[in-house]
Amino acid sequence: MSRNAEVIRSAFREYYFKQKSIHAPAAIDQREFGYSQFGMHGMVRHLSFKSIGELIATLVKEVPSDVYCSNALYRFPTLPMQEKQWLGADLIFDIDGKDLGLPCVPLHSYAVCAACGHASPPDDGEYSCSACGGKKADHVSIPCSKCIDGSKKEAKRLIDFMTEDLGVERQNIDAYFSGNNGFHFHVRDDSYRPLDSQARSDLVGYIAGVGLLAESVGVRKAQGGDDVFVKFPKSGLALGWRKKVADKLKIDSASIIKLGNIAKEKGGYAGFKAELDKMTREMGARIDPQVTTDVHRVFRMPGTINSKSGLAKIKCDELDSFDPFTDACLLGSAKVKVKMKTQVKFKLKGESYNLSKESAELPAYAAVYLICKGLADSA
């Protein structure tokens, strides 16, 4: 095992030995668990635990790099997938900061050469490692407060959809910081468990604002050509996407002439439909569709450490005040010497770091953060 892996593994073991943030998921004995190991490819899967104590004992013994738990319930969770006998799955969502296209990201991103591990700030041109000439790199980001605020904004939008449009009680939505650069959501509502992948895909489409018909807000295509006429649905514009679009366009059920004029200004039916698609995508929540639609997924387990950062996937009851760089930074503070690969600025546990020298002595949580990101090596 490499020296880097040894340092990270030691910090993770201490956390799992002392941890207070891991709680048993509902019906723990019907869940499939899995974990990844340091220095090894693939995942150890099809595991089952009867209690949280049994699970934590395994974490302390094995010290995995990442830990996962199925959103699905199975009659036989340790058997091969086709023999598990699926009983339903919790509804889950993932918002990843890297998918939001935030303008600040290039300012705090780095390229880590896939061949030699050399790190450097990426430029706009074609990548070429200055150390070995390698053409492939892993691009890593040190998220800033604007990144987290962007993810929080998206998270609140998702929660609004779930509570206002879908009728999920707010107390049944558990929000978690992902441990790296985003948020996860677990819906504790048994009525969603039987949904198959297609039903969940439809749900994702609704929340993301994909595929809304122009007819659903009253714009209809006249026979022959691209002309339009307006006929509002009998159920009105008071609910769901109809209300969102009506509020955006500043119309109501009496705005037949106004909506008709808007559609004509956009170029007729096709032009209005294109504008509607753009509008709803901007107003929808940007979630990872594969996470929600996969009813057999093993999802990062709450309370465990994310090996991409050394931060914990931790529950956040108050999104506005939640600070992942403090609240999710739970590793120990024993001193660790590191050799820096590039100049790095970041903030953890209220302390700002601006590391430009070749070597530094840091608290374990900060050293592990940089090593996990590929921006430093254990000295």
Side-chain angles (χ1 to χ4, degrees):
M1 184 179 297
S2 70
R3 177 59 182 157
N4 282 345
E6 288 178 0
V7 169
I8 299 171
R9 197 168 186 267
S10 175
F12 281 26
R13 177 186 281 112
E14 180 185 9
Y15 170 79
Y16 287 125
F17 185 76
K18 297 179 178 179
Q19 72 77 35
K20 299 177 182 177
S21 302
I22 300 179
H23 303 286
I28 185 173
D29 59 326
Q30 294 180 318
R31 308 276 180 175
E32 178 198 350
F33 290 83
Y35 61 80
S36 301
Q37 295 174 296
F38 288 100
M40 299 184 68
H41 296 292
M43 185 190 304
V44 179
R45 285 193 64 169
H46 310 296
L47 303 176
S48 177
F49 300 99
K50 291 188 172 13
S51 68
I52 192 66
E54 186 181 340
L55 169 61
I56 292 173
T58 299
L59 300 185
V60 172
K61 177 184 176 183
E62 300 295 337
V63 196
S65 60
D66 297 279
V67 185
Y68 305 94
C69 173
S70 68
N71 64 319
L73 304 179
Y74 301 103
R75 184 166 280 114
F76 305 110
T78 61
L79 294 182
M81 192 61 69
Q82 63 271 22
E83 300 174 26
K84 289 181 185 294
Q85 294 189 21
W86 189 82
L87 301 174
D90 297 333
L91 185 62
I92 56 176
F93 297 95
D94 176 25
I95 291 173
D96 195 328
K98 76 176 188 299
D99 298 330
L100 302 183
L102 300 172
C104 59
V105 172
L107 302 177
H108 47 70
S109 292
Y110 301 82
V112 180
C113 179
C116 73
H118 177 78
S120 59
D123 55 41
D124 295 333
E126 184 176 344
Y127 175 78
S128 179
C129 177
S130 60
C132 74
K135 300 299 183 182
K136 293 185 178 180
D138 296 319
H139 295 281
V140 300
S141 175
I142 301 288
C144 67
S145 59
K146 292 179 181 178
C147 294
I148 301 304
D149 288 344
S151 293
K152 285 182 178 181
K153 180 180 177 181
E154 220 56 43
K156 291 175 184 177
R157 188 177 293 180
L158 172 61
I159 290 171
D160 285 344
F161 271 105
M162 288 194 286
T163 55
E164 295 178 10
D165 292 40
L166 304 181
V168 180
E169 296 289 337
R170 179 63 184 89
Q171 63 265 26
N172 290 335
I173 304 171
D174 291 334
Y176 296 88
F177 173 63
S178 70
N180 190 31
N181 187 16
F183 291 90
H184 295 167
F185 300 85
H186 298 234
V187 178
R188 290 181 289 102
D189 187 330
D190 292 351
S191 64
Y192 286 95
R193 280 186 176 169
L195 296 182
D196 62 13
S197 292
Q198 183 56 55
R200 292 168 196 249
S201 179
D202 293 341
L203 197 59
V204 166
Y206 180 86
I207 291 172
V210 176
L212 185 67
L213 298 175
E215 288 82 355
S216 67
V217 294
V219 175
R220 302 168 187 272
K221 192 172 184 178
Q223 285 187 344
D226 200 37
D227 291 338
V228 299
F229 69 96
V230 174
K231 182 180 179 181
F232 289 117
K234 291 181 179 179
S235 52
L237 302 173
L239 297 172
W241 270 110
R242 292 175 182 174
K243 183 178 188 305
K244 291 177 173 63
V245 172
D247 290 345
K248 184 75 171 178
L249 296 177
K250 298 179 180 178
I251 61 171
D252 57 31
S253 294
S255 306
I256 293 177
I257 295 176
K258 181 177 180 180
L259 182 56
N261 289 335
I262 291 173
K264 290 174 184 176
E265 288 172 4
K266 299 301 179 183
Y269 182 88
F272 178 80
K273 180 64 170 66
E275 187 67 22
L276 182 66
D277 287 344
K278 180 182 177 182
M279 182 191 310
T280 54
R281 286 179 182 274
E282 289 175 350
M283 295 167 66
R286 285 173 282 186
I287 53 182
D288 184 334
Q290 292 184 340
V291 168
T292 303
T293 57
D294 186 351
V295 296
H296 299 289
R297 175 174 289 268
V298 285
F299 203 42
R300 188 174 301 279
M301 184 176 173
T304 63
I305 303 295
N306 190 323
S307 71
K308 294 179 181 177
S309 66
L311 303 179
K313 174 174 176 175
I314 201 79
K315 190 175 181 181
C316 39
D317 294 318
E318 295 294 336
L319 272 173
D320 286 331
S321 60
F322 180 78
D323 179 2
F325 306 117
T326 297
D327 301 332
C329 188
L330 303 178
L331 297 184
S333 55
K335 295 296 183 181
V336 175
K337 291 183 178 179
V338 295
K339 182 179 179 181
M340 300 302 300
K341 295 183 179 182
T342 186
Q343 182 175 345
V344 181
K345 294 173 66 175
F346 63 102
K347 186 176 182 179
L348 287 175
K349 286 192 176 180
E351 184 168 350
S352 296
Y353 297 87
N354 187 354
L355 304 176
S356 56
K357 296 181 180 180
E358 289 189 3
S359 62
E361 188 174 63
L362 303 171
Y365 59 81
V368 168
Y369 185 75
L370 294 177
I371 295 171
C372 286
K373 294 285 185 181
L375 302 178
D377 287 323
S378 172

